[in-house]
Amino acid sequence: RVEYATVEADPRRAFFDAHGFFVARSFCAASECQALIARMAGLVEQWDPEVDNAAVFRTDAKQEKAQGSSDYFLDSADRIHFFTEVGAAAADGVGLRPSYRSRKAEALNKVGHALHLRDAVFRGYSNSAKLRELVGALGWVSPVVPQSMYIFKQAGIGGEVTSHQDSTFLFTTPRQTCLGLWLALEDATLTNGCLWVRPGSHHEPV
């Protein structure tokens, strides 16, 4: 059960409530980021696109139809699945285009959605004391982790992610309690695919 605290006791909470986001700078040490990057490299190395038959992850107008009808996508709720960029998938939908077979890491859009359940390294981060402390400071009393993903942001073929609300996909009742936590493993800038937010948009309807 997820509860939301009503007592403000932290300036981070006050900023978050006012603007709908909070930036925790230097939240992880460089060594922690490198450990997560290295672990993902190991998972990708073990991945066989021809056997696993990864699905394309779409962020365009065909997104709802593609993901909503894909067993591979839906079954990823409690597994670690690999999702490629549209431009990297083979024409017949099986495996990767020849130009990506020797550099499969560059073909990936993301890996998800149960890294926090199925992998010890990512589970350690997801359940870390400092993450629990941050979430608690923002007002969450009994949080749960419904999904986790590693997003690649590929140069050249990376699909554009348009403006959206996570609560559209992770809808909760009786009120919206979805909280997204985004960790930049590398420097994120205006030129390489950083996260954008619109201050105050958390007050808008879903």
Side-chain angles (χ1 to χ4, degrees):
R1 187 164 62 95
V2 177
E3 298 177 355
Y4 189 68
T6 57
V7 178
E8 294 186 17
D10 191 293
R12 294 172 292 182
R13 166 74 182 275
F15 186 94
F16 178 81
D17 284 350
H19 303 285
F21 71 95
F22 176 76
V23 179
R25 300 190 183 280
S26 301
F27 186 71
C28 285
S31 59
E32 295 176 279
C33 293
Q34 286 302 318
L36 294 170
I37 292 172
R39 179 53 187 152
M40 180 52 62
L43 292 174
V44 174
E45 180 62 29
Q46 297 169 21
W47 169 54
D48 186 340
E50 303 299 321
V51 174
D52 194 45
N53 194 24
V56 170
F57 185 77
R58 306 193 72 102
T59 57
D60 56 15
K62 299 179 180 179
Q63 176 182 16
E64 185 175 348
K65 180 179 179 180
Q67 271 83 259
S69 62
S70 168
D71 288 339
Y72 186 82
F73 179 82
L74 297 174
D75 289 345
S76 71
D78 61 355
R79 304 174 192 177
I80 298 177
H81 283 183
F82 298 79
F83 301 90
T84 68
E85 293 286 359
V86 174
D92 61 1
V94 179
L96 303 176
R97 293 180 184 273
S99 59
Y100 284 98
R101 289 173 186 167
S102 62
R103 47 193 184 103
K104 53 186 177 179
E106 297 176 33
L108 287 167
N109 174 284
K110 70 175 182 177
V111 174
H113 292 94
L115 290 163
H116 63 289
L117 295 176
R118 299 297 186 180
D119 184 82
V121 175
F122 286 94
R123 183 168 60 247
Y125 170 72
S126 300
N127 294 323
S128 63
K130 64 181 178 182
L131 204 60
R132 292 197 304 271
E133 189 280 330
L134 174 62
V135 173
L138 296 180
W140 272 253
V141 177
S142 302
V144 296
V145 183
Q147 70 173 28
S148 53
M149 65 187 82
Y150 187 108
I151 302 174
F152 288 83
K153 294 294 181 184
Q154 303 290 1
I157 65 166
E160 178 186 7
V161 179
T162 56
S163 179
H164 66 279
Q165 296 170 301
D166 285 348
S167 289
T168 302
F169 307 97
L170 297 171
F171 192 86
T172 60
T173 57
R175 62 181 182 275
Q176 298 307 307
T177 57
C178 176
L179 174 67
L181 300 171
W182 187 81
L183 174 64
L185 297 177
E186 299 174 335
D187 289 342
T189 70
L190 293 175
T191 60
N192 73 353
C194 67
L195 183 68
W196 289 72
V197 297
R198 190 169 69 253
S201 59
H202 61 307
H203 293 305
E204 299 172 5
V206 175

